[in-house]
Amino acid sequence: RTEFDYREEAKNLEEVRRNVMPRWSNKVEIPAPVRQLCTREVLVMDAIPGVKLVDGIRARFRELAASRGVDPEELERVQKEKIAGGELRPRSARAEAAATRRANLALRLGDWLWRRPIAFLTGAPYVPSPSLVNVGEVLQTMLDVHADEIFNHGVFNGDPHPGNILLMPDGRLGLIDYGQVKRVNKGARVAYAKLTLAILAEDKVEVARLLRSPPPEGFGGESRDNDVDVAYKLCVFWNDRDTPDVTEGLNLQEFIDEMEARDPVRVAPLEMVMIARVSVLLRGVANAFNVRLRVAKAWAGYAEDLVRREDPSYYLLAARGNDGRARGGER
């Protein structure tokens, strides 16, 4: 951690900003530190306008409800009940983004066909309907930016929780708090890229091999029995998804306890764990909005590009089409 010395966090800010902003400045903002004013106890950086992501999404939702004469508290309660009752099924980020675009289009059409003419006829002031924040697009941006950090630069924010994401007035995301920047070398990046492809190919043996092989070929993890099935389930859980086919219907703690009971860990694959934490935290952000992510699938293109550059003969590349999709299709 560098949160005990803000001079180090200032360096992290500069490095990540230098890596990210040339490609992603139209979607995110990372504050620049004012190095001459930074000390061990004080971090000074550019101010980023905006509110915390969750607060911004909720405020826009409430604003829209109020514009329709609907009690936002009641609407939010009904939504939560529908989610809890299974009436509103979780969607992928792509499906959520498409649904929100359709909803916002319907709002615009409603304004032009109904609200605007009525305002004109009655002399009432016309106020355009507020748009919904597109959570699916927000999540896709977060996935893309962190994939770029991990696969292309090996320097990434290891703590992308919702409190570190701002919703800016111009619609971009403000990414703050770089006290837990992690670094992985090229060998670990390539190994993680191969792990991503192996998870998507459902190649249990290869997933277990990468987990256990010593660096730079793998992550050097060890367990009592080297159980392939346990290794596979744990890697999929940490790096892709937590669906019932992986967790066997158990909750988080029960699943971890069950895997540990079957094959206790002797040496943790630390570099994989650092990256996997990003996957878990991004999925946690998505879960809060009833969106389910498959992170390995979202990161497949970045993983494949890296492997093609560094190890073009890797056998799993042959299982993928020229468009980067698995030949048998990805779920």
Side-chain angles (χ1 to χ4, degrees):
R1 291 174 63 91
T2 62
E3 291 174 343
F4 301 110
D5 186 344
Y6 285 121
R7 294 170 299 186
E8 292 302 312
E9 185 166 346
K11 292 179 183 177
N12 291 338
L13 267 174
E14 283 187 333
E15 184 172 7
V16 176
R17 192 175 196 278
R18 187 165 58 247
N19 292 339
V20 169
M21 292 304 291
R23 181 174 182 180
W24 300 106
S25 60
N26 63 322
K27 293 188 176 182
V28 304
E29 180 62 76
I30 296 174
V34 184
R35 288 291 295 276
Q36 64 270 27
L37 299 179
C38 295
T39 69
R40 182 180 179 85
E41 294 81 21
V42 177
L43 175 64
V44 181
M45 70 188 97
D46 292 344
I48 292 184
V51 297
K52 290 183 179 180
L53 177 63
V54 174
D55 295 340
I57 292 171
R58 180 173 287 122
R60 192 76 63 82
F61 180 78
R62 288 169 175 260
E63 184 182 351
L64 178 60
S67 73
R68 295 297 187 267
V70 178
D71 179 3
E73 298 283 352
E74 176 64 15
L75 186 57
E76 193 168 339
R77 183 190 65 78
V78 171
Q79 289 286 97
K80 288 180 178 178
E81 287 183 354
K82 287 183 178 180
I83 291 171
E87 187 176 344
L88 286 179
R89 304 289 295 173
R91 291 189 283 215
S92 68
R94 180 177 295 180
E96 178 68 19
T100 304
R101 285 193 292 269
R102 290 193 297 270
N104 283 332
L105 176 60
L107 290 170
R108 298 283 78 77
L109 288 173
D111 281 356
W112 278 96
L113 297 176
W114 180 59
R115 291 168 59 86
R116 190 183 184 108
I118 287 179
F120 176 77
L121 292 172
T122 62
Y126 167 66
V127 179
S129 298
S131 298
L132 293 166
V133 175
N134 196 316
V135 174
E137 291 181 354
V138 166
L139 292 170
Q140 190 58 60
T141 295
M142 293 299 297
L143 286 164
D144 284 337
V145 169
H146 284 84
D148 187 28
E149 291 177 359
I150 292 164
F151 292 102
N152 294 331
H153 303 288
V155 182
F156 58 94
N157 183 5
D159 193 29
H161 65 75
N164 290 343
I165 307 168
L166 303 180
L167 186 63
M168 299 175 64
D170 62 7
R172 293 185 301 157
L173 303 179
L175 306 182
I176 62 173
D177 192 349
Y178 286 82
Q180 292 196 46
V181 165
K182 307 298 182 184
R183 289 172 170 78
V184 289
N185 60 33
K186 182 181 287 186
R189 287 159 48 205
V190 173
Y192 192 80
K194 290 179 177 178
L195 180 69
T196 299
L197 299 182
I199 287 172
L200 291 173
E202 299 182 356
D203 190 330
K204 294 184 179 182
V205 173
E206 177 66 355
V207 167
R209 184 190 73 81
L210 290 163
L211 180 67
R212 296 172 186 148
S213 295
E217 183 58 30
F219 297 101
E222 295 180 13
S223 60
R224 184 189 63 196
D225 302 322
N226 290 327
D227 186 295
V228 170
D229 190 61
V230 170
Y232 176 75
K233 285 182 179 293
L234 284 171
C235 282
V236 173
F237 173 81
W238 289 116
N239 299 287
D240 186 35
R241 64 190 191 277
D242 51 14
T243 47
D245 62 304
V246 177
T247 64
E248 302 175 359
L250 302 172
N251 66 34
L252 168 61
Q253 193 57 56
E254 290 171 343
F255 172 73
I256 297 299
D257 290 345
E258 177 63 22
M259 295 299 103
E260 180 65 14
R262 291 184 194 176
D263 191 10
V265 174
R266 297 293 187 233
V267 178
L270 295 180
E271 288 190 308
M272 188 203 79
V273 169
M274 288 194 300
I275 302 173
R277 186 171 188 270
V278 176
S279 170
V280 171
L281 287 172
L282 290 178
R283 280 183 277 152
V285 175
N287 288 345
F289 300 105
N290 201 37
V291 177
R292 297 294 179 266
L293 300 180
R294 281 202 63 187
V295 177
K297 184 176 181 181
W299 287 355
Y302 296 90
E304 183 176 352
D305 287 347
L306 178 58
V307 176
R308 287 195 186 280
R309 291 197 303 269
E310 301 298 331
D311 189 1
S313 63
Y314 182 59
Y315 79 100
L316 283 179
L317 291 175
R320 300 183 64 80
N322 293 331
D323 61 354
R325 285 185 170 274
R327 292 189 189 277
E330 291 171 2
R331 291 177 296 174

